[in-house]
Amino acid sequence: MKGGDVSSISPLVSFVLGAAMATVCVLFFMSASPTRRLADISAFSTGNATQEGLHLASAANHDSGVADGDTPAAEAVTAIPAPAPAPVQAPSPWGDLEEVLQRAATKDRTVIMTQINAAWTRPGSLLDLFFESFRNGEGGVARLLDHLVIVTMDPAAYEGCQAVHRHCYFLRTSNGVDYRSEKMFMSKDYLEMMWGRNRFQQTVLELGYNFLFTDVDVMWFRDPFRHISMAADIAISSDVYMGDPYSLRNFPNGGFLFVRSSAKTIDFYRAWQQGRWRFFGKHEQDVFNLIKHEQSAKLDLAIQFLDTTYISGFCQLSKDLNKICTLHANCCVGLGAKMHDLRGVLDVWRNYTAGTPDERRAGKFQWKLPGICIH
C-alpha cells in the first residue's frame, strides 16, 4: 500500500475507534446506574423540579466550574423525587361535620342544632312533636328547619333522622355508652351525654360557626332570634328569670342556648369543660351557674338570660300565647311525662292558631293545667 493511501485512511480508523470506545463507556454508565437514569428521566419529563431546585443546581454548577448550558458530570446530578400523593379519604357513611354545617348555615354562619338518640326518634315520639311545632308555628318559623342540624347519638337515630330531615350528623363517641335508650336524669350515662354535647358545641365554635342549641323537647311557635341581643356573646334560657336579662342572678337552662363564635366564647367553653373536674359529679348546667361570675368578668363576656315571657318552660311558664316563642318541657323528668304534657301544649296551640284575632287578643286560649309537669 502506498504511503498516501495509509495517511488518508488513518483519520477514518481513528474516528471509528473513538466512536466505538465512547459508545462502550455510555453503555457501561447506563448499565451501572439504571435507577438514577430512570429517576432523572422521570423528574425531567414530569416537570417535578421546582424553581428553587433549579437555582440550587445552577449554583452548584458554578461552584464546580460547570458553566450554564453545559452538561454537568453524571455523578453531580441528583433527581428531585416526586412528592407522594396524598391519601384519599373515603367519605364517611355518617356525614362530614363541616360539610353538614356549611350546608345548613345561614349567611352569617349560624346553625340551629338539636341532639337525639333512638328513644327520641321513634314514630310518635318527641322528634315528631318537635317538627309539628315548627309546622304549626307563626311568622314563617317553619323556614328555620332549613338551618337545623340534628346531631344523632347512635346509628338507629341517624337512620331515623335521614328519613325525615336533610341535615343529619352522627356524633361518634368512644366512651362505651350505649345511647340508644333513654338516659335517666343525673345518671352516669346522662352526665356523659351532657358533657359530650358540651364538647361538641365547643367544636362547632372552633370551626367558626355560631349556634342556637335547642333540646328536642322545646316547642317552637315563633322565631326566637328577635329576642336575642346583638350585644350578647351568649344568650341562654332561664329556669328562673329575675327581670334583668344581664343579671347573673338569673338561673340558666342549657336546653336553649345561643353562642357566637369568638375567641372569648371558645375560652369560656374551655373553662366550662375544666369545670367538669373542678366540680366533679355536676352536670354542665350547674357548672355554668358556678363559673358564670368569674368567667364573665375574666373574659368580658356578655351573657344574656332570656325572658321567660318569650322563651318559656315548665319551670316558669308564660301564659301569654300572644307573646310566647318557644316552650321547653324543663323541670320535668321522664320521656313519658314530657310527651303527655307537650301533646296537650300542641292541642292548645292548634286551637289558638285557628281562633279569630279577637279571640286571641282576649286571651281566650290557655294551657291545660295542671299536667304531669306543667303547672
Side-chain angles (χ1 to χ4, degrees):
M1 187 175 293
K2 295 182 181 179
D5 294 336
V6 173
S7 62
S8 64
I9 293 174
S10 295
L12 177 61
V13 173
S14 299
F15 174 79
V16 171
L17 290 174
M21 291 180 68
T23 301
V24 170
C25 290
V26 169
L27 291 174
F28 177 79
F29 170 75
M30 292 174 67
S31 63
S33 308
T35 304
R36 177 183 295 172
R37 178 175 59 84
L38 292 173
D40 290 347
I41 292 171
S42 175
F44 174 78
S45 62
T46 58
N48 284 323
T50 63
Q51 195 66 28
E52 180 182 357
L54 294 174
H55 286 314
L56 290 173
S58 177
N61 290 342
H62 282 297
D63 291 342
S64 60
V66 180
D68 289 341
D70 292 344
T71 303
E75 52 270 22
V77 176
T78 302
I80 300 174
V88 177
Q89 294 285 344
S92 167
W94 310 112
D96 176 77
L97 176 58
E98 291 191 67
E99 188 274 331
V100 172
L101 293 174
Q102 184 178 27
R103 180 157 38 89
T106 62
K107 290 181 180 179
D108 69 346
R109 295 176 67 84
T110 299
V111 294
I112 302 168
M113 300 191 304
T114 194
Q115 182 172 311
I116 58 172
N117 62 6
W120 297 50
T121 59
R122 297 187 183 98
S125 192
L126 274 174
L127 186 62
D128 283 350
L129 300 184
F130 183 71
F131 281 139
E132 183 181 345
S133 71
F134 279 89
R135 289 192 292 267
N136 292 327
E138 294 188 331
V141 69
R143 76 185 187 282
L144 296 178
L145 287 173
D146 292 338
H147 306 293
L148 172 70
V149 174
I150 299 180
V151 181
T152 61
M153 301 300 294
D154 58 85
Y158 180 76
E159 291 174 7
C161 173
Q162 284 192 306
V164 296
H165 191 62
R166 287 182 60 211
H167 311 306
C168 305
Y169 179 72
F170 177 32
L171 178 59
R172 284 152 288 182
T173 60
S174 58
N175 55 18
V177 177
D178 181 356
Y179 286 108
R180 289 172 295 182
S181 60
E182 180 185 0
K183 303 304 173 191
M184 295 307 297
F185 181 70
M186 291 306 293
S187 67
K188 180 179 180 294
D189 287 354
Y190 174 87
L191 292 174
E192 285 289 345
M193 185 168 65
M194 292 297 101
W195 281 111
R197 180 179 85 178
N198 183 268
R199 181 64 186 88
F200 178 76
Q201 291 172 355
Q202 181 180 332
T203 299
V204 172
L205 296 176
E206 289 168 345
L207 290 172
Y209 289 89
N210 317 311
F211 68 80
L212 195 165
F213 179 84
T214 171
D215 276 343
V216 75
D217 61 343
V218 175
M219 302 293 100
W220 286 55
F221 302 129
R222 297 183 177 95
D223 185 348
F225 281 98
R226 57 195 175 127
H227 297 288
I228 296 173
S229 171
M230 291 296 294
D233 297 302
I234 295 173
I236 190 167
S237 61
S238 310
D239 276 347
V240 180
Y241 181 70
M242 302 293 191
D244 177 358
Y246 289 97
S247 170
L248 295 176
R249 295 185 304 113
N250 294 301
F251 289 89
N253 187 297
F256 192 90
L257 170 68
F258 175 80
V259 187
R260 299 186 198 280
S261 177
S262 68
K264 289 195 295 185
T265 54
I266 292 170
D267 283 346
F268 179 84
Y269 263 79
R270 288 172 181 152
W272 199 353
Q273 280 284 317
Q274 291 167 3
R276 178 183 186 181
W277 311 113
R278 285 177 60 192
F279 309 102
F280 187 75
K282 299 285 187 182
H283 63 69
E284 92 295 349
Q285 185 172 297
D286 283 343
V287 173
F288 182 102
N289 212 31
L290 290 166
I291 68 171
K292 63 185 179 183
H293 291 87
E294 65 180 28
Q295 292 301 318
S296 62
K298 177 182 178 181
L299 300 171
D300 190 26
L301 204 66
I303 302 176
Q304 177 191 5
F305 293 84
L306 296 167
D307 188 338
T308 52
T309 300
Y310 307 101
I311 312 301
S312 192
F314 291 176
C315 296
Q316 191 171 353
L317 182 65
S318 173
K319 297 179 182 179
D320 190 342
L321 274 67
N322 294 313
K323 293 182 178 180
I324 196 168
C325 293
T326 63
L327 180 57
H328 187 189
N330 54 7
C331 293
C332 189
V333 177
L335 180 57
K338 290 176 183 286
M339 292 285 297
H340 176 275
D341 284 5
L342 289 177
R343 287 194 183 105
V345 162
L346 288 176
D347 285 342
V348 172
W349 180 257
R350 280 191 292 268
N351 292 334
Y352 168 82
T353 55
T356 67
D358 287 341
E359 289 175 329
R360 292 167 63 155
R361 281 193 295 269
K364 178 180 179 181
F365 303 97
Q366 296 294 322
W367 308 121
K368 296 176 183 178
L369 303 175
I372 297 175
C373 299
I374 190 173
H375 56 274

